[in-house]
Amino acid sequence: MAGPPSVSTLMLRNVPLFSMLPDEQLSLLARAAGRKSFPHNTTVISAGDPSNALYLVVSGRLKVMMSDEEGREVILAILSAGEYFGEMSLIDDAPRSATVTAIEPCELVIISKAEFKKCLAENSEISEAVMKVLVKRLREADNKIGSLALMDVFGRVARLLMEMAETVDGQKVITKRLAKQDIAKMVGASRETVSRVMKHLQSSGYIEVRSGMIYLHAGMLISEAKA
Ligand code: CMP
């Protein structure tokens, strides 16, 4: 019978966090790591759980979220290939801070708490890289708190679209599909309000939706630059 799927050195090399490790160390880590597939809609970790591992995203996307007893959700972030999660509670030994659920079929590499801690202790570059990602997430969370307190839904949706856009052939475009429901959960508004705002952005020429992609036009970029 075949054993569990193995982790290649290349798989780890493609995750920016580990890309600077020398080959020898990377192959030791690859041997200690595991690999697992998660179907769409599976929860990988739940808020409040004890921590035991770090997860690297090889393929697919996941949402980081919080929910209440009534099933209301807020999405804190969307993670994709090359990113990782689960580091927070490995660092402070507190329970998992959020729930992480696959929004597409995902392939993840799993590194045990002990291996990750060893890696941090032995490589100051890795510790620094983890700190940089924590700081980036804190900055994003600060921006989100700022826009929740200071902006209306229109501004929050516009800002989110700007943050999610990539530059393709000189044009700002969101290439990954995102349900209106998920946008609503990211900006703290209802799906209906988000639909209305998106329609308004479209009819005013700020955005254009073509083949499932959202193109951001100049007016939108100017209003963001002024904000
Ligand atoms: P941990 O607390 O171990 O488990 C939940 C994980 O979700 C957490 O580690 C982080 O990796 C991730 N996470 C929590 N909050 C955010 C956020 N605001 N942005 C991105 N990722 C987050």
Side-chain angles (χ1 to χ4, degrees), residues 45 51 53 64 76-77 79 84-90 94-100 137 140-141:
I45 57 181
S51 64
V64 180
L76 305 172
L79 305 176
Y84 61 85
F85 60 93
E87 79 293 353
M88 285 171 58
S89 47
L90 296 189
R96 295 294 191 194
S97 60
T99 295
V100 183
R137 288 180 179 169
E140 287 166 359

Side-chain angles (χ1 to χ4, degrees), residues 37-59:
S37 301
F38 291 84
H40 173 227
N41 258 339
T42 3
T43 289
V44 181
I45 57 181
S46 300
D49 279 359
S51 64
N52 45 23
L54 176 81
Y55 296 82
L56 314 177
V57 187
V58 177
S59 64

